[in-house]
Amino acid sequence: FRKNFGRMIRAYAQRDDLLYIIRNAPKKDKKWAGLREFCLEPLVEPLIKKVTTQKLAVNCRHDLSIKELVVVGKFYCPNPDVTDAHFPSKKGRAAKEKAVLVHCNQHVSDEELEAVYDHLQLRPGNPKELLSVAIDHPELQRKFPIVTTGQFWRCSNRSRDIPCLYWSGGRELNLVWCDGGLYECCRFLAVRKS
């Protein structure tokens, strides 16, 4: 069954078909074990070849609140919903980290991005790490939008929103909707798994 099903998937399934299976395959039923990974593989193999990365040295300010980081970042018009209440985290020490900007060079689903992170042995960055990048490398967001998928907030319309740095007449900090996948132009902030 798997051999023939695999041939059919490789020959005829479109990206949307594979994503549907990945999102809806039973997770606890043993006869479907491995189906999600099996369908993710043909999506990820060509994607990995397109991925580019850029390493950044960042002083991650885990000792500050998001509110304090927004003030230090001096954004043109920060979204008032980027708050400690919507993106809770524990205070810690400031630490130097090697951040990585991942560019997939195509529109990607959450599942595809997660597989790219796993392949590169990365974890998604969090909002404090994103704001630290904005402080240490303020001109980067002029070139391209930078998002982090490590934490999201569900707003009143139930969409999943993630923090985004971009340029629109000034340095912006906003929230973007990520339920429909993530855009080709975005760079995804990630850090090495510890």
Side-chain angles (χ1 to χ4, degrees):
F1 168 79
R2 188 174 184 131
K3 182 177 169 184
N4 292 330
F5 182 70
R7 284 186 189 141
M8 183 183 77
I9 288 287
R10 300 276 183 189
Y12 301 109
Q14 300 295 312
R15 181 176 183 270
D16 291 345
D17 301 327
L18 295 171
L19 287 172
Y20 179 83
I21 294 169
I22 291 164
R23 291 177 182 148
N24 295 296
K27 292 179 179 151
K28 295 182 180 178
D29 190 339
K30 288 185 180 182
K31 65 183 175 182
W32 295 99
L35 180 62
R36 183 179 185 279
E37 294 76 17
F38 182 76
C39 290
L40 193 56
E41 191 177 303
L43 293 176
V44 174
E45 285 174 10
L47 177 58
I48 293 296
K49 294 175 186 170
K50 293 180 180 180
V51 169
T52 58
T53 60
Q54 177 182 353
K55 294 179 183 173
L56 302 170
V58 178
N59 180 22
C60 290
R61 295 159 178 89
H62 297 289
D63 57 328
L64 299 177
S65 68
I66 288 178
K67 182 178 181 178
E68 293 168 319
L69 288 167
V70 169
V71 170
V72 173
K74 299 177 185 171
F75 296 101
Y76 171 67
C77 187
N79 186 308
D81 287 320
V82 180
T83 65
D84 293 290
H86 295 156
F87 297 96
S89 65
K90 295 178 185 172
K91 274 201 172 186
R93 296 184 334 209
K96 294 200 182 297
E97 290 184 16
K98 295 283 186 197
V100 179
L101 294 181
V102 177
H103 185 209
C104 294
N105 290 292
Q106 74 176 48
H107 186 89
V108 293
S109 68
D110 291 343
E111 295 84 3
E112 290 168 316
L113 184 59
E114 185 181 316
V116 168
Y117 285 152
D118 286 345
H119 179 80
L120 298 174
Q121 298 180 354
L122 300 171
R123 69 162 174 80
N126 63 46
K128 284 186 177 183
E129 290 162 339
L130 181 72
L131 291 167
S132 296
V133 166
I135 293 166
D136 290 351
H137 304 277
E139 292 303 309
L140 266 182
Q141 69 190 83
R142 232 180 218 272
K143 299 176 184 175
F144 38 72
I146 306 169
V147 299
T148 182
T149 59
Q151 232 177 330
F152 65 88
W153 173 62
R154 285 213 185 267
C155 67
S156 59
N157 69 5
R158 303 302 299 150
S159 67
R160 287 183 320 136
D161 291 347
I162 56 175
C164 176
L165 303 171
Y166 65 96
W167 183 268
S168 178
R171 293 177 57 238
E172 299 276 355
L173 169 64
N174 210 338
L175 293 170
V176 295
W177 182 65
C178 68
D179 286 332
L182 301 155
Y183 299 110
E184 179 178 342
C185 61
C186 292
R187 303 309 191 270
F188 303 101
L189 178 68
V191 293
R192 292 268 167 231
K193 289 181 180 176
S194 48

